Amino acid sequence: MKRRRIVLFAGLLSLLALVAAGCTSTSIPVAKNPPLYSQEKLRAVDHWDNIADLVATRVQKSLEDRPDLINKPLYVRPPSDRPFIMVFYSLLRTRLVSKGMQVSEICEPDSLIIEYNVQTVLFDEWRSGWLPSLSSMGIGVLNAVTGKYTTASDHEIIVNTSMLHNNRYVMHLSNIYYINDDDWPLYISPESFDPKAATTRTVRISR
């Protein structure tokens, strides 16, 4: 009899757990990771040049879609004082000129304005899970075999580039990258946490 009561009690607890799970699942989505994919990590100035080439290609495509704007000069707004911003300014103009586009040194009355900014995002170091070291070991094995992968980092950047004409967007492009954690001062000034103070901003995200 005692054993039967224990089994009955255990069954009742299981039923209550199922009911509770059913109630909560209808109002709160179950968390899951997106499908496995890759994200580039910037570790050299040549990687910055790759971004400049990508942006210049997108600018060229946007102008091809707008025959009324294709012959207008392009003016890239001068940057702030961060190393990435300053170097990217030169790299982007180089890429634009190499693709045959007209780039003006001074803004002309009918110029297309190209401007860009960088946002850095700092995530919690434990976002990869309770065993991040195992994840790093797995990436290490993949890198040893393929030479293609590297470890993720807590810092990411978003490079936003836009092209405007008469206060209208002709193009708006956002690219997301990992960066080495120690490299973040290359992208944003340590004092520039106020979004109104400069064209860069750091966003802190904790788990």
Side-chain angles (χ1 to χ4, degrees):
M1 179 66 69
K2 185 177 180 181
R3 182 178 179 183
R4 183 180 298 177
R5 288 178 180 176
I6 294 174
V7 172
L8 182 62
F9 182 70
L12 181 60
L13 287 178
S14 299
L15 179 61
L16 290 173
L18 288 173
V19 171
C23 292
T24 56
S25 64
T26 58
S27 58
I28 301 176
V30 177
K32 72 172 185 177
N33 289 322
L36 185 64
Y37 61 98
S38 63
Q39 180 173 296
E40 294 181 11
K41 186 173 184 179
L42 307 180
R43 296 188 294 171
V45 174
D46 186 61
H47 298 164
W48 299 356
D49 187 42
N50 291 338
I51 303 175
D53 185 59
L54 185 153
V55 171
T57 300
R58 181 66 176 270
V59 168
Q60 187 177 44
K61 177 64 169 59
S62 298
L63 293 178
E64 289 174 353
D65 293 337
R66 291 288 304 273
D68 57 315
L69 302 177
I70 198 165
N71 291 321
K72 295 186 182 299
L74 304 176
Y75 175 70
V76 183
R77 287 197 189 279
S80 63
D81 62 347
R82 290 293 89 194
F84 172 81
I85 296 290
M86 296 178 67
V87 173
F88 189 70
Y89 176 68
S90 298
L91 294 174
L92 180 56
R93 292 197 300 174
T94 297
R95 289 293 184 172
L96 291 169
V97 171
S98 69
K99 293 180 184 298
M101 286 173 272
Q102 302 181 59
V103 180
S104 60
E105 182 68 22
I106 300 173
C107 187
E108 300 176 15
D110 204 27
S111 294
L112 289 161
I113 308 298
I114 296 177
E115 54 189 18
Y116 57 92
N117 63 68
V118 177
Q119 294 172 292
T120 63
V121 179
L122 174 58
F123 277 96
D124 187 286
E125 63 180 342
W126 289 96
R127 65 171 170 162
S128 59
W130 64 281
L131 285 177
S133 59
L134 292 181
S135 174
S136 298
M137 290 171 58
I139 293 298
V141 172
L142 284 172
N143 191 51
V145 174
T146 66
K148 182 178 180 181
Y149 299 97
T150 183
T151 56
S153 57
D154 299 329
H155 288 80
E156 298 180 59
I157 65 166
I158 304 97
V159 181
N160 302 299
T161 312
S162 59
M163 180 167 60
L164 302 99
H165 183 253
N166 291 334
N167 200 38
R168 300 290 188 273
Y169 284 111
V170 179
M171 181 201 77
H172 196 287
L173 179 65
S174 295
N175 299 303
I176 305 171
Y177 304 94
Y178 284 122
I179 60 171
N180 288 326
D181 291 321
D182 292 338
D183 289 346
W184 73 268
L186 298 174
Y187 300 88
I188 180 172
S189 172
E191 295 81 18
S192 181
F193 291 102
D194 182 356
K196 296 181 180 179
T199 58
T200 57
R201 183 185 182 191
T202 291
V203 180
R204 293 181 178 272
I205 299 177
S206 297
R207 191 176 61 166

